[in-house]
Amino acid sequence: MKLVVACLVLLACATARIPPTLRGYDVVVEREDSQSVELARALREYGFRVRNHVRGGSRPTLALVYFTFADPSPGKPPWLHIRLADTRSGVIMGAGSVRLDSLAATPRARATAAVQSLAAP
C-alpha cells in the first residue's frame, strides 16, 4: 500500500512540472539520432508521455520539432530550439530554447536544458 501511495505522489510531482497547456498530451519523437533520444529521455523525466510514432484514435498528441540556429555574426554561439506542435491542427503548443555553449556541450545536457526551458513558467 505504501508503495502505491509513493508512486502516486511521484507521478503527481512529475506532472505538476508540465505546463497546464501541455497536460494530457502525448509527445511523438520519431527520429532516433542521439539528440532525439536524449530529448525523449528528458521529456519522460519531466513527466511527459513519449511515443515513437503517431497512432490514429489516440490521446491528443504533440510532435517534437527541433532545430539549431546560428547567428551569422562572429562570436555568437548557436541555439537549439524545440517546438511541440499539435499533430491535428499544427498549432505550436510549447517552445523552448537553449544556447549551445560550454554548459550544453553534450546531447544530454542540451536536451535537459531545452526541456527545462520548455517547462519554465
Side-chain angles (χ1 to χ4, degrees):
M1 181 65 173
K2 289 181 183 179
L3 180 62
V4 172
V5 172
C7 289
L8 290 174
V9 169
L10 287 173
L11 181 61
C13 290
T15 57
R17 296 191 300 183
I18 298 173
T21 56
L22 302 178
R23 288 186 193 145
Y25 282 92
D26 286 356
V27 179
V28 172
V29 181
E30 290 185 331
R31 293 173 46 189
E32 294 184 12
D33 59 281
S34 62
Q35 190 64 68
S36 296
V37 169
E38 291 301 332
L39 284 164
R41 180 204 51 80
L43 287 164
R44 279 189 194 96
E45 286 180 356
Y46 262 77
F48 287 94
R49 289 180 54 164
V50 178
R51 293 189 279 123
N52 60 0
H53 63 278
V54 175
R55 287 191 305 241
S58 63
R59 295 168 35 129
T61 305
L62 300 168
L64 173 70
V65 178
Y66 69 92
F67 57 94
T68 57
F69 173 77
D71 190 331
S73 304
K76 294 195 177 186
W79 287 76
L80 171 68
H81 298 279
I82 64 172
R83 304 289 185 260
L84 294 176
D86 187 299
T87 57
R88 294 179 183 160
S89 66
V91 172
I92 302 295
M93 300 293 294
S97 299
V98 62
R99 196 166 138 184
L100 299 179
D101 54 12
S102 61
L103 296 176
T106 65
R108 179 170 284 227
R110 289 189 291 267
T112 300
V115 173
Q116 287 174 347
S117 74
L118 172 77

